[in-house]
């Protein structure tokens, strides 16, 4: 599990106790989904990516808000299916990301030719649904810090 230095733009230490306090079912789902990791990842690094997205999307359930744990349920079409269902959101996000990194999701086709951190950034930009790279940079910061935490 190789770890890059983070930009340290974000106060990461506040999230460690939040992660530790998550319900067992939620932490177990991160572990289950990480076992089937995509190309370019190892188990712990894929888990770090999933937790990093949850950190960005929901601050790891600050105020016990399960609505948009990994960003699913933000639009009307998905709201009833995923809102307040963090375990399902972890599974859904893991599947989307696996397909994106394995070049099996047409929504992420423009990222297929990229490699390493550029591919991660490209996929996160699309996943985050934003027109600039701010979302991807924040998630990558969290990703590097969670990798350091899980791989130590």
């Amino acid at each position: 599990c190789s770890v890059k230095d983070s930009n340290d733009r974000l106060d990461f230490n506040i999230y460690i106790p939040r992660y530790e306090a998550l319900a067992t079912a939620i932490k177990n789902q991160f572990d289950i989904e990480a076992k089937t990791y995509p190309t370019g990842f190892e188990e712990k690094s894929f888990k770090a990516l999933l937790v990093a997205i949850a950190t960005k999307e929901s601050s790891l359930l600050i105020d016990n808000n399960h609505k948009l744990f990994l960003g699913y349920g933000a639009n009307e079409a998905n709201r009833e299916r995923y809102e307040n269902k963090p375990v399902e959101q972890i599974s859904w996000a893991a599947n989307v990301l696996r397909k994106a990194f394995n070049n099996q999701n047409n929504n992420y086709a423009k990222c297929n030719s990229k490699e390493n951190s550029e591919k991660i950034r490209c996929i996160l930009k699309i996943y985050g649904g934003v027109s600039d790279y701010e979302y991807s940079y924040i998630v990558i910061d969290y990703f590097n810090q969670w990798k350091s935490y899980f791989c130590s």
Side-chain angles (χ1 to χ4, degrees):
C1 202
S2 63
V3 178
K4 282 186 166 182
D5 289 332
S6 169
N7 293 337
D8 292 325
R9 296 185 303 159
L10 308 165
D11 186 7
F12 175 71
N13 291 326
I14 65 171
Y15 296 107
I16 294 171
R18 289 183 191 169
Y19 174 79
E20 294 299 331
L22 288 174
T24 302
I26 294 171
K27 287 197 290 191
N28 287 347
Q29 194 64 33
F30 281 124
D31 292 334
I32 289 166
E33 296 300 339
K35 289 184 187 320
T36 309
Y37 50 88
T39 303
F41 285 84
E42 299 169 356
E43 184 175 331
K44 289 180 181 179
S45 61
F46 190 52
K47 177 180 176 179
L49 181 63
L50 294 172
V51 175
I53 292 169
T55 303
K56 169 64 177 120
E57 294 288 348
S58 70
S59 297
L60 289 177
L61 298 178
I62 190 166
D63 300 326
N64 206 26
N65 182 354
H66 292 80
K67 284 187 176 187
L68 303 177
F69 188 56
L70 275 145
Y72 289 95
N75 62 46
E76 285 297 322
N78 290 327
R79 183 162 291 135
E80 193 173 306
R81 185 172 176 191
Y82 295 108
E83 193 174 68
N84 294 314
K85 298 175 183 171
V87 170
E88 289 85 347
Q89 288 188 39
I90 294 167
S91 181
W92 183 262
N95 287 329
V96 167
L97 292 167
R98 274 188 215 100
K99 289 177 181 176
F101 283 106
N102 290 333
N103 302 333
Q104 299 169 338
N105 185 326
N106 290 337
N107 294 331
Y108 297 85
K110 73 179 194 176
C111 304
N112 291 352
S113 63
K114 300 184 185 309
E115 295 181 3
N116 304 319
S117 62
E118 286 304 310
K119 185 167 188 168
I120 294 171
R121 187 167 285 113
C122 180
I123 287 171
L124 289 173
K125 180 182 173 191
I126 295 168
Y127 182 92
V130 293
S131 59
D132 61 41
Y133 280 99
E134 186 62 24
Y135 178 92
S136 65
Y137 280 107
I138 291 169
V139 174
I140 287 171
D141 258 358
Y142 286 138
F143 171 56
N144 287 325
Q145 292 178 73
W146 281 115
K147 275 198 316 187
S148 179
Y149 178 77
F150 291 131
C151 295
S152 61

